[in-house]
Amino acid sequence: MRVLVTGGAGFIGSALVRHLVLEKGYEVLNIDKLTYAGTLTSLQTVADNPLYSFRRADICDALAMEAAFESFRPDRVMHLAAESHVDRSITGSRQFIETNVIGTYTMLEAARRYWQGLADREKDAFRFLHVSTDEVYGSLGAEGLFAETTAYDPSSPYSASKAGSDFLAKAWARTYGFPVIVSNCSNNYGPYHFPEKLIPLTILNALEGKPLPVYGKGDNIRDWLFVEDHARALDLIAERGRIGETYNVGGRNERRNIDVVRTICALLDTMAPRREPHEALITFVTDRPGHDARYAIDATKLETELGWRAIETFDTGIEKTVRWYLDNAWWWEPLRRDYDGRRLGLPAGGGGR
Ligand code: NAD
Ligand code: DAU
């Protein structure tokens, strides 16, 4: 099995590449531009594996994508490359539109041209998994869950760009009969998570005795999934999911942000004690503009149709994650030098760059 993965140097992409190469024994070509979020050190365990290869390229570069398809000749594409941080999309949206919308369009077209030229058997077996987010559904109130049938209602430039890319993927299935599947997942956490997102930022700020910024009142809710559970789900969906369908992925782990931060503080009080409890570092700051109140996934379709279950609960996964950051300063220290955790996402002017 030959799998072309885009964004394989990112947080989820690297977990997926490690899973496909080390657990499944698949041949993987990782295409990644290596933006600030792409880190080849996340792939050390596969770097010398003969099943793994890497090509530095921009998914918006149609010629480079065409060449990659022709030389690697994949059986499957798993498309994860994206600009992924909501706060960055608020201060500069252009790159989100370019990578998430134009980049996905470019991938779909390169893949479709390649697929059209395949012999019947390979053509029937080919799949393009477009990896997306639950943020396309917008915000929930106190009740209810996002189902695959929930109407799209994105709030941020990031989620709007992902919604646009989902619509392109679905249109390529309907119009061209191109074998696309879409997955929409809730918040991931775990090892190798770039320290701009809530969980790794909180862990590292706490370790360094810096303020722990909680937006608004901290009562926004996210539904957390351990990244390795997501990687397994993606592999299963690409393998057995139905063409043209959407699959929601989530771990049934709803938590208020303030409770996530307090849990990390409590773990660090035991694993890396300091004079004052870590909770004393919690600082409530100006809310994120357009902040979605609550995300929660109904993963029944994935569970019943494909038999997937998350292995980690939030309690087991967060403990593993905090331990991983304590043990792997070699990975995050260079990233922390480039981005020190300063506040992002308060709009200073227009969208633009
Ligand atoms: P990430 O920001 O950690 O990684 C993105 C990767 O894409 C990086 O390696 C980056 O270098 C690469 N990339 C960016 N622009 C590129 C371009 N133009 N060409 C080639 N490569 C490029 O993101 P992530 O958190 O791993 O998310 C991966 C995917 O999963 C995204 O599509 C995201 O929307 C989706 N997703 C993320 C989450 C989450 O909680 N992190 C949840 C659901 C869905
Ligand atoms: O739901 C899936 C999405 O989850 C993915 O599509 C995105 O790529 C991913 O980044 C994530 O988006 P969020 O905006 O939910 O994640 P983030 O870690 O940025 O924020 C989580 C919550 O914590 C959110 O309610 C905002 C809040 N927050 C975030 C940061 C960075 C804080 O309170 N303080 C912070 O410093």
Side-chain angles (χ1 to χ4, degrees):
M1 171 66 65
R2 280 193 304 279
V3 187
L4 190 162
V5 175
T6 70
F11 168 48
I12 301 169
S14 65
L16 178 66
V17 170
R18 293 190 301 271
H19 176 75
L20 296 179
V21 171
L22 301 174
E23 307 294 325
K24 302 300 291 276
Y26 291 169
E27 210 177 315
V28 171
L29 170 63
N30 171 19
I31 294 188
D32 199 296
K33 183 181 173 181
L34 299 184
T35 67
Y36 80 93
T39 320
L40 287 179
T41 49
S42 308
L43 292 160
Q44 272 190 352
T45 53
V46 296
D48 297 328
N49 194 307
L51 293 172
Y52 171 75
S53 55
F54 172 65
R55 187 176 292 209
R56 186 173 190 176
D58 189 329
I59 56 163
C60 298
D61 181 343
L63 288 178
M65 293 309 107
E66 193 186 318
F69 275 95
E70 281 314 316
S71 59
F72 185 63
R73 306 202 65 76
D75 304 304
R76 190 175 287 174
V77 175
M78 301 177 81
H79 172 44
L80 290 88
E83 288 293 334
S84 70
H85 192 34
V86 173
D87 288 336
R88 287 183 196 260
S89 83
I90 295 168
T91 34
S93 44
R94 189 183 186 97
Q95 195 56 52
F96 287 72
I97 309 306
E98 283 176 0
T99 289
N100 299 359
V101 181
I102 307 291
T104 297
Y105 157 76
T106 308
M107 283 305 298
L108 285 165
E109 269 303 82
R112 184 175 72 87
R113 283 168 201 278
Y114 161 77
W115 167 77
Q116 273 174 334
L118 292 175
D120 286 350
R121 250 187 51 197
E122 284 82 40
K123 205 171 174 185
D124 287 347
F126 187 85
R127 296 288 181 275
F128 185 108
L129 176 63
H130 173 66
V131 178
S132 192
T133 169
D134 62 354
E135 298 203 10
V136 297
Y137 299 123
S139 187
L140 289 167
E143 301 291 320
L145 301 170
F146 294 135
E148 286 81 0
T149 49
T150 302
Y152 276 32
D153 188 20
S155 302
S156 70
Y158 161 71
S159 52
S161 70
K162 290 297 291 186
S165 68
D166 293 11
F167 285 139
L168 290 173
K170 290 172 197 210
W172 258 239
R174 276 197 216 167
T175 302
Y176 302 111
F178 182 59
V180 174
I181 307 173
V182 176
S183 64
N184 295 87
C185 187
S186 61
N187 287 62
N188 284 218
Y189 69 102
Y192 304 103
H193 202 182
F194 190 86
E196 62 187 353
K197 311 279 166 61
L198 176 68
I199 287 183
L201 182 75
T202 299
I203 298 171
L204 299 192
N205 276 11
L207 279 177
E208 293 169 5
K210 293 182 177 165
L212 310 180
V214 174
Y215 298 172
K217 296 193 183 110
D219 51 10
N220 301 66
I221 292 175
R222 297 292 181 264
D223 183 357
W224 295 97
L225 181 67
F226 194 66
V227 67
E228 290 166 18
D229 280 323
H230 189 195
R232 283 190 304 104
L234 294 176
D235 180 36
L236 192 61
I237 295 167
E239 178 78 32
R240 304 225 317 266
R242 283 179 290 140
I243 291 173
E245 293 285 320
T246 291
Y247 292 86
N248 279 355
V249 190
R252 301 182 192 276
N253 279 307
E254 285 185 59
R255 292 286 186 285
R256 292 189 311 158
N257 292 338
I258 187 66
D259 296 329
V260 170
V261 173
R262 286 197 179 121
T263 302
I264 293 169
C265 288
L267 285 166
L268 285 173
D269 286 345
T270 314
M271 294 180 189
R274 60 197 287 274
R275 211 172 309 145
E276 268 193 303
H278 288 88
E279 262 201 50
L281 298 168
I282 292 176
T283 311
F284 292 93
V285 298
T286 311
D287 208 351
R288 171 186 280 175
H291 200 172
D292 288 333
R294 176 173 164 255
Y295 302 148
I297 282 278
D298 179 357
T300 306
K301 181 173 174 181
L302 176 63
E303 290 164 352
T304 53
E305 202 177 299
L306 303 184
W308 175 86
R309 285 282 181 290
I311 292 173
E312 301 293 344
T313 64
F314 188 70
D315 290 341
T316 59
I318 195 69
E319 188 171 343
K320 279 189 184 174
T321 304
V322 172
R323 170 55 56 205
W324 187 87
Y325 279 89
L326 286 173
D327 293 345
N328 290 281
W330 67 272
W331 181 83
W332 53 261
E333 270 172 0
L335 305 178
R336 205 59 183 163
R337 277 196 288 277
D338 290 343
Y339 169 63
D340 60 6
R342 69 194 170 280
R343 177 74 196 263
L344 300 166
L346 291 175
R353 261 181 212 281

